[in-house]
Amino acid sequence: MASHVIEIKDLVKIYRLGEVEVRALDGVNLVVDAGEFIAIMGPSGSGKSTLMNIIGCLDRPTSGTYVLDGANVSELSRDQRAIIRNAKIGFVFQSFNLLARTSALENVELPMLYSDNTGSRRSRRDLALDALYRVGLKGREGNYPSQLSGGQQQRVAIARALVTNPAILLADEPTGNLDSRTSVEIMGIFQELNDSGKTVVLITHEPDIAQYAKRIVHVRDGLIQQDERVEQLRVQRQGIAAPVAPVVR
Amino acid sequence: MRNSFVRLGNITIVGLKSIARNKMRSLLTALGVVIGVACVIVSVAIGAGVAQSVSEMINSLGSNFIMIMPGAATQSGARIFTGQSTLTEEDVQALRREASALAYISPNLRTAAQLVAGELNWSTQIQGVDVDWPNIRSWNVEQGAFFTDGDVRSGAKVLVLGKTVADNLFPNGDAVGSVVRVKNVPFRVVGVLEKKGGSMMGSDQDDTVVIPYTTAMKRLMGQQKLGGIIASASSAEQVGEALDQIDAILRQRHRIPPGGDADFMLRSQEEIAQANQQQVQLMRNLLLGIAIVSLAVGGIGIMNIMLVSVTERTREIGIRMAIGARGRHVLLQFLFEAVTLSVLGGLIGVLVGVGVATGIGKIAHWPIVVSPTAILLSFGVAATVGIFFGFYPARKAARLDPIDALRYE
Ligand SMILES: Nc1ncnc2c1ncn2[C@@H]1O[C@H](COP(=O)(O)OP(=O)(O)O)[C@@H](O)[C@H]1O
Ligand SMILES: [Mg+2]
């Protein structure tokens, strides 16, 4: 088992807008180990989203290599990247991105419907319920997103990201749409998941949020400027249910 | 294998949930197909009904039936009739004597008239014929008797009523022996015909009256020429021979050289059937064409709304792709939605179509034949329409870039 979950070497991403070339990423090197909690920070336009899209296998680099969980994923086709996203990456977005008019449980079950070893209906349901319990949403399985608060919606999204037991949780400004108290709660969930061994990659421009991570990477003009291990600010335990079943990778 | 089957099942779940989540939109999407399929069912039902009644009517002419009409046939087969018939009683006598392949022959004159019996009156068609007529038309008398040779020779004022006429003028069933006035001339009812049935688009074969042709010529029409002649060949095999004999005899009698344009036209039952079948087929094709166009319009409606739906749901597609949906998952989902909607529309369309067809049949007294084939066919066509018109929007959805789709507001 590779201890490096993410290995990025000389990563370049160039956007071409007609004649103009934008070097959104200009030679990024980054290694993330299993069990890390890393925050990627930087001002607007620095290349955070571009980096996240590549780490999340939504996009391909122009050059350079990206090895995810031991597999080189820099040059995969669309469908191959979809398979990798499904198996190895759990996305958490700023705007939650839950399916409307779809219960929390069904939202969490969704990734498993696109999985190659999809399992039975029953086991999908059990896994989804388990994930919902882990983010503290027992009793809300049947609620639609419109019947949940922002914090609760984000918890559903985290449960959905978690349910396939991915190699990394990739969160893009997960607290951007939440008030500060709820933001702290959400960071607490990430910390608890990280404590149980999950690798978390957090993208944010807020220093307040970044301080809940164990390591902060500063990006500017498509380059990593600073990469530091920091003293993690701990969120007080919220009494969230412990995993019902142990998660084995 | 098992795996891909399971995944197809998952896509089905995804698609069904999506349809259930947007009931109104789904209903509107399916509406076009509902109308299209209903149109197909109705038009096929009407077409089949007409075809059936036409063929019933033609079959009821009798299988060895031959019709001789005044007027010339042009090369294209159209009939030109200038109004002056050249067919005579002597022609009939000559044919009866000389055409050996004929079993029966009778003049056939037709005129419309009003019949009065006591308080009641009834407008109908009067046919002037000879005593062979029941044999030619295989149409027997139910009450009383047909008029006799003597009646024909003397031009007797007797008539035989069709069932419909008898029922309307004599509701008590006491027609035979009663007096009926036609153009103020009193006639005696000698018989009532059995019910023939086989009405066509509202025209009822039993709405007729038969009298001796001599009487019709003298009393009612005042003409010496015959409006037409009907005959019956001795057997089905001898129809061709009979047609040849009639042609030869009439040409000789009318002094028409071989190859010259005849002043009469011959039609066998088979030819009449063919000509009618062509017309009926034309009508059916026309109806079907209209129905297919409306089904296509329904399909375009599905495509339209599916396209709107793909745009509306760009974000949803982005989410699905981000969490691992592949191109074909999205393609299949939308295709499945389109097909389900069109099949659902087809199902409702079949119900509506059968309902409307039956309703039209009841109200307008049109013959309606709802065939299971038409139902199955339009159902299949509806599904095909869904695949065909759903494919483009589905492919569009499948080709979306997940990053752009996620960013879509
Ligand atoms: N799809 C794109 N096409 C062209 N230029 C882009 C595209 N996406 C990002 N960029 C450019 O790349 C640079 C980095 O953008 P981005 O990764 O979105 O930064 P951040 O998320 O840190 O704000 C910016 O200059 C931006 O304008
Ligand atoms: Mg950004």
Side-chain angles (χ1 to χ4, degrees):
Chain A
M1 183 181 157
S3 63
H4 296 337
V5 177
I6 295 173
E7 262 186 84
I8 284 173
K9 238 193 190 132
D10 302 327
L11 203 69
V12 174
K13 180 70 186 183
I14 299 171
Y15 291 112
R16 277 196 184 81
L17 296 165
E19 299 285 288
V20 190
E21 275 192 358
V22 180
R23 293 179 83 85
L25 295 177
D26 199 6
V28 169
N29 290 287
L30 182 68
V31 173
V32 179
D33 287 341
E36 280 202 80
F37 189 160
I38 176 174
I40 296 173
M41 285 199 67
S44 181
S46 57
K48 299 185 301 291
S49 295
T50 305
L51 185 56
M52 189 209 87
N53 286 342
I54 292 173
I55 292 176
C57 287
L58 288 165
D59 205 355
R60 272 201 303 209
T62 309
S63 69
T65 55
Y66 169 26
V67 176
L68 171 65
D69 202 23
N72 189 342
V73 295
S74 343
E75 279 166 12
L76 297 182
S77 69
R78 263 174 74 98
D79 274 1
Q80 287 169 322
R81 272 183 278 133
I83 294 170
I84 294 287
R85 285 198 297 274
N86 184 254
K88 306 221 178 230
I89 293 162
F91 284 100
V92 180
F93 300 96
Q94 177 173 352
S95 48
F96 321 138
N97 278 343
L98 299 177
L99 293 191
R101 277 172 282 178
T102 306
S103 73
L105 183 67
E106 285 175 344
N107 262 294
V108 177
E109 281 180 336
L110 203 59
M112 292 183 278
L113 293 180
Y114 297 119
S115 160
D116 266 339
N117 32 19
T118 170
S120 69
R121 245 190 116 113
R122 181 74 192 274
S123 71
R124 286 203 299 266
R125 200 187 136 85
D126 289 346
L127 285 170
L129 285 174
D130 185 31
L132 280 170
Y133 296 161
R134 287 184 71 185
V135 298
L137 281 181
K138 194 162 187 160
R140 297 270 188 267
E141 304 85 358
N143 288 38
Y144 289 163
S146 57
Q147 299 165 329
L148 294 169
S149 71
Q152 287 171 327
Q153 288 186 53
Q154 196 59 302
R155 283 168 195 243
V156 175
I158 295 172
R160 182 181 65 187
L162 210 57
V163 76
T164 49
N165 193 19
I168 55 171
L169 283 185
L170 188 53
D172 183 18
E173 306 273 7
T175 59
N177 286 7
L178 302 173
D179 61 55
S180 52
R181 230 197 84 194
T182 317
S183 299
V184 174
E185 277 174 29
I186 293 295
M187 292 321 292
I189 292 174
F190 280 120
Q191 282 188 344
E192 282 173 30
L193 293 170
N194 179 242
D195 290 345
S196 68
K198 192 58 70 190
T199 310
V200 180
V201 178
L202 171 74
I203 284 140
T204 182
H205 69 276
E206 293 175 74
D208 291 358
I209 294 300
Q211 63 186 340
Y212 293 100
K214 293 175 181 167
R215 176 183 168 194
I216 300 179
V217 170
H218 293 270
V219 183
R220 184 178 284 264
D221 297 333
L223 277 169
I224 292 183
Q225 284 230 314
Q226 200 186 351
D227 185 342
E228 52 178 355
R229 301 206 173 263
V230 294
E231 189 60 37
Q232 188 181 32
L233 178 66
R234 295 294 302 186
V235 177
Q236 284 202 328
R237 283 213 156 255
Q238 300 153 57
I240 285 170
V244 175
V247 178
V248 189
R249 268 202 62 77
Chain B
M1 188 61 212
R2 200 193 97 82
N3 229 348
S4 66
F5 183 75
V6 170
R7 260 172 286 148
L8 201 64
N10 290 344
I11 297 300
T12 325
I13 297 170
V14 168
L16 283 178
K17 279 181 180 164
S18 172
I19 289 169
R21 236 177 276 140
N22 298 284
K23 292 189 186 65
M24 193 61 196
R25 185 185 68 198
S26 305
L27 194 75
L28 286 175
T29 311
L31 196 63
V33 174
V34 171
I35 294 169
V37 167
C39 260
V40 171
I41 301 265
V42 170
S43 63
V44 168
I46 290 176
V50 169
Q52 195 189 55
S53 66
V54 166
S55 78
E56 263 172 20
M57 199 196 67
I58 290 165
N59 286 338
S60 76
L61 290 174
S63 61
N64 309 333
F65 182 83
I66 292 171
M67 191 154 75
I68 306 165
M69 291 166 290
T74 63
Q75 270 172 340
S76 69
R79 181 167 158 235
I80 297 173
F81 183 48
T82 48
Q84 218 15 283
S85 171
T86 48
L87 298 172
T88 63
E89 266 184 277
E90 289 73 35
D91 287 337
V92 175
Q93 280 151 18
L95 288 169
R96 184 175 286 138
R97 256 192 333 269
E98 296 165 31
S100 58
L102 285 184
Y104 306 106
I105 188 161
S106 160
N108 191 16
L109 301 92
R110 287 160 187 257
T111 184
Q114 194 177 45
L115 275 61
V116 181
E119 302 278 275
L120 300 172
N121 61 69
W122 189 254
S123 288
T124 188
Q125 183 194 51
I126 296 186
Q127 304 189 57
V129 302
D130 206 343
V131 289
D132 277 352
W133 185 85
N135 294 323
I136 298 171
R137 296 296 316 272
S138 334
W139 200 344
N140 296 317
V141 167
E142 186 182 74
Q143 296 166 35
F146 206 74
F147 49 77
T148 62
D149 218 15
D151 291 332
V152 174
R153 252 174 288 145
S154 64
K157 292 176 282 182
V158 292
L159 42 70
V160 178
L161 301 179
K163 190 78 178 133
T164 303
V165 180
D167 287 347
N168 281 286
L169 288 181
F170 301 97
N172 300 329
D174 52 356
V176 177
S178 304
V179 171
V180 169
R181 290 180 165 275
V182 184
K183 293 190 177 169
N184 252 335
V185 182
F187 280 72
R188 188 166 46 86
V189 178
V190 292
V192 174
L193 293 168
E194 67 188 4
K195 189 171 172 60
K196 188 80 168 170
S199 74
M200 176 194 163
M201 301 297 284
S203 91
D204 173 9
Q205 288 205 86
D206 292 300
D207 188 1
T208 194
V209 167
V210 193
I211 63 174
Y213 73 93
T214 46
T215 319
M217 286 163 79
K218 260 190 292 195
R219 304 267 174 195
L220 299 181
M221 301 166 78
Q223 69 179 48
Q224 294 307 306
K225 303 290 183 184
L226 304 178
I229 300 169
I230 57 176
S232 170
S234 307
S235 70
E237 292 74 41
Q238 280 172 281
V239 170
E241 197 185 332
L243 289 172
D244 289 344
Q245 290 176 350
I246 296 168
D247 190 60
I249 294 165
L250 287 182
R251 273 175 187 274
Q252 190 197 16
R253 289 184 52 79
H254 293 195
R255 300 182 205 294
I256 297 160
D261 282 344
D263 58 353
F264 58 89
M265 227 170 73
L266 302 180
R267 285 278 179 273
S268 67
Q269 186 237 15
E270 200 179 329
E271 288 165 335
I272 296 169
Q274 270 169 13
N276 277 290
Q277 232 111 58
Q278 272 171 18
Q279 284 181 20
V280 167
Q281 199 55 47
L282 194 74
M283 187 199 85
R284 293 178 78 168
N285 290 346
L286 209 75
L287 281 173
L288 198 65
I290 294 168
I292 284 170
V293 166
S294 68
L295 199 58
V297 170
I300 292 168
I302 284 202
M303 177 150 80
N304 185 22
I305 297 194
M306 289 303 289
L307 278 174
V308 172
S309 162
V310 167
T311 310
E312 233 176 35
R313 291 157 70 187
T314 301
R315 186 78 177 233
E316 175 198 324
I317 296 163
I319 296 168
R320 289 181 187 276
M321 285 177 159
I323 62 177
R326 275 161 255 174
R328 64 187 159 101
H329 291 137
V330 176
L331 183 95
L332 282 176
Q333 180 193 335
F334 279 84
L335 210 52
F336 177 82
E337 282 188 44
V339 172
T340 307
L341 286 177
S342 58
V343 165
L344 219 71
L347 204 71
I348 302 172
V350 165
L351 294 178
V352 171
V354 170
V356 168
T358 318
I360 287 178
K362 285 246 168 66
I363 294 167
H365 299 289
W366 279 2
I368 294 289
V369 177
V370 179
S371 75
T373 329
I375 292 175
L376 276 177
L377 204 73
S378 48
F379 209 65
V381 170
T384 315
V385 159
I387 293 176
F388 187 79
F389 289 100
F391 187 77
Y392 175 69
R395 200 187 55 172
K396 203 180 150 189
R399 286 188 176 176
L400 284 175
D401 180 60
I403 299 171
D404 295 338
L406 277 171
R407 217 182 276 143
Y408 186 86
E409 286 303 329

